[in-house]
Amino acid sequence: MDLSDEDLYDVIVLGGGPVGLFATFYAGFRDLSVKLIEATEDLGGQITLLYPDKYIYDMPGFYEVIGTEVVKNLVMQAKRYNPTIVLGERALKITKLNDHKFEVVTDKAVHYSKTILICTGIGAFTPNKVEAVGIPEFEGRGVFYYVRDPERFRGKKVLIVGGGDSAVDWALHLKDIASSLTLIHRRDVFRAHEKSVDALMHSNVTVKLFYVLKEVKGDDWVRKAIITNVQSNKDEEMEVDDILVLVGYKADLSIIRQWGIAMDSRGVLVDDTMETNIPGIYAAGDVASPKSGFRQNLLAVGFGQAATAANRIKKYLEPSSSAFEHSTLREPSSKITASPETATH
Ligand SMILES: Cc1cc2nc3c(=O)[nH]c(=O)nc-3n(C[C@H](O)[C@H](O)[C@H](O)COP(=O)(O)OP(=O)(O)OC[C@H]3O[C@@H](n4cnc5c(N)ncnc54)[C@H](O)[C@@H]3O)c2cc1C
């Protein structure tokens, strides 16, 4: 198949989460033509899906910033060099046609590029569930696995189940919105940021350690939760309006596993240039599993990986190009088509 320059992009970025968005900007900044393909109808990845209204405290340059604000700015920045953005298409298969040509088959179309940058995060992910009587019956009727709109918990008696970052962060966020907030955790050790756990323990949240959710009762909506102390085996009944089960997420990387790229149990293996075992295919963000084994699923880390990958892709396509450039030294202004005012969602 003969492709025009327009159809054959320098790089296809798979995944429009925060890292894919920054990679899209950065590749454009390095004068590469970019097509971004996102499986859902929304950009922003986990931030948009899981914590749009949560404060982020470790975003470089911000004292604190709310999730949606970060996504809005990432989208604006990503559009700076006029990439092609495809929403609602899930990449199903990648085939290397030759050294500088890849074919990406999605559930709706076929796309071509000289390189691929995989930023698919933890893939199609599903929330972990807890084994408690009545849970399946009340899902969506008082039992939730995500917080889309914190305001819907205003004035409610809320029970949070979990001891990870998600549970602790949401407890802190909802503590002054809910009329009462209880967090139960099956152990006394949290898998959450130390500072957040400290804040939780000194807050108005009722924290019950060594408790699990045993049963959920109600009518057309959840009304009661039976919780069990795993040390004493005694049950307690609580009145609740809503239960948030925040016990982590299962990543589903099964699609990527069919692409013939070397992976470990947590993602796509990359070297320190973010290249995979297949020349021309790179990965960044949560999907990337550094061969060093030191993995950090953090926005700041993912952004650095995106910049590294884009710089390496530039070098791969144009070996005589510089390894990196400072924005003050070179701004390919001829390619700027979007202004901050027009390049929003
Ligand atoms: C509750 C919670 C709170 C967090 N708080 C913080 C925090 O305060 N600070 C911090 O640094 N980090 C935080 N994180 C982690 C941070 O959100 C992730 O590290 C970050 O989202 C990773 O970005 P990503 O772009 O690599 O992946 P993702 O955000 O997962 O985005 C991946 C995108 O790829 C798309 N995709 C997947 N498969 C395909 C496919 N086959 N084809 C096309 N598109 C596909 C997905 O739909 C998604 O939009 C938090 C995470 C959670 C869950």
Side-chain angles (χ1 to χ4, degrees):
M1 182 184 214
D2 222 12
L3 294 167
S4 72
D5 280 356
E6 265 179 37
D7 294 323
L8 182 67
Y9 286 77
D10 288 331
V11 54
I12 284 180
V13 176
L14 295 178
V19 176
L21 286 168
F22 189 61
T24 298
F25 158 76
Y26 214 98
F29 167 65
R30 290 308 312 268
D31 241 344
L32 301 172
S33 60
V34 188
K35 184 179 266 187
L36 170 67
I37 300 177
E38 163 57 40
T40 70
E41 294 296 337
D42 297 305
L43 294 168
Q46 291 171 50
I47 303 182
T48 300
L49 196 63
L50 300 176
Y51 57 103
D53 290 310
K54 183 178 89 74
Y55 274 107
I56 299 171
Y57 300 103
D58 52 355
M59 178 64 57
F62 290 88
Y63 181 72
E64 59 186 28
V65 59
I66 209 132
T68 45
E69 195 57 27
V70 172
V71 171
K72 192 180 95 188
N73 282 290
L74 281 168
V75 171
M76 189 164 76
Q77 188 180 37
K79 289 182 175 174
R80 185 171 186 123
Y81 302 113
N82 203 26
T84 299
I85 297 182
V86 179
L87 295 177
E89 282 192 33
R90 181 172 296 279
L92 300 178
K93 195 173 167 216
I94 295 177
T95 310
K96 186 165 188 165
L97 301 177
N98 64 41
D99 265 356
H100 279 152
K101 196 182 285 184
F102 288 91
E103 181 186 75
V104 175
V105 177
T106 72
D107 47 2
K108 294 192 185 129
V110 182
H111 307 267
Y112 296 92
S113 61
K114 297 175 188 169
T115 62
I116 307 271
L117 175 47
I118 303 172
C119 300
T120 49
I122 47 178
F125 52 96
T126 43
N128 290 330
K129 307 213 165 168
V130 289
E131 302 240 333
V133 178
I135 282 272
E137 193 190 329
F138 287 102
E139 280 173 359
R141 295 192 294 131
V143 173
F144 300 99
Y145 299 96
Y146 306 103
V147 180
R148 289 279 166 80
D149 175 15
E151 278 304 312
R152 72 160 305 295
F153 298 98
R154 184 164 293 282
K156 302 282 177 60
K157 294 189 278 294
V158 178
L159 171 66
I160 292 184
V161 182
D165 273 312
S166 193
V168 173
D169 283 357
W170 277 118
L172 291 173
H173 194 104
L174 296 174
K175 66 183 173 34
D176 300 320
I177 293 176
S179 67
S180 74
L181 186 56
T182 304
L183 180 145
I184 60 168
H185 180 36
R186 67 194 154 91
R187 301 189 294 149
D188 61 349
V189 179
F190 287 86
R191 287 184 60 186
H193 197 286
E194 303 91 326
K195 279 202 170 69
S196 307
V197 175
D198 194 50
L200 176 76
M201 294 317 239
H202 291 92
S203 73
N204 58 350
V205 176
T206 305
V207 178
K208 285 175 162 284
L209 302 176
F210 298 109
Y211 277 84
V212 294
L213 183 63
K214 183 181 179 188
E215 190 174 349
V216 173
K217 292 177 176 174
D219 35 53
D220 57 337
W221 199 264
V222 159
R223 305 287 170 209
K224 284 185 177 142
I226 316 284
I227 58 173
T228 305
N229 183 313
V230 292
Q231 291 182 316
S232 66
N233 244 339
K234 284 204 173 116
D235 292 348
E236 283 175 32
E237 192 173 271
M238 309 173 48
E239 282 195 12
V240 291
D241 297 317
D242 288 303
I243 300 176
L244 276 166
V245 179
L246 302 173
V247 290
Y249 304 92
K250 239 190 283 320
D252 180 3
L253 298 166
S254 53
I255 292 181
I256 304 177
R257 288 199 189 283
Q258 297 160 22
W259 295 350
I261 306 170
M263 295 175 73
D264 64 10
S265 62
R266 299 187 302 174
V268 172
L269 283 168
V270 288
D271 61 19
D272 59 5
T273 70
M274 310 318 292
E275 193 170 55
T276 68
N277 65 316
I278 301 180
I281 301 186
Y282 299 75
D286 281 11
V287 74
S289 192
K291 284 182 187 159
S292 68
F294 191 55
R295 184 193 169 100
Q296 304 160 86
N297 286 1
L298 290 169
L299 294 160
V301 173
F303 294 151
Q305 292 177 338
T308 300
N311 281 329
R312 286 305 289 188
I313 288 171
K314 177 77 174 179
K315 197 87 184 144
Y316 175 79
L317 294 175
E318 298 167 31
S320 62
S321 65
S322 56
F324 70 93
E325 288 181 1
H326 287 145
S327 59
T328 44
L329 295 180
R330 180 184 155 281
E331 171 63 316
S333 53
S334 59
K335 291 197 69 190
I336 299 177
T337 54
S339 68
E341 291 72 37
T342 56
T344 47
H345 246 126

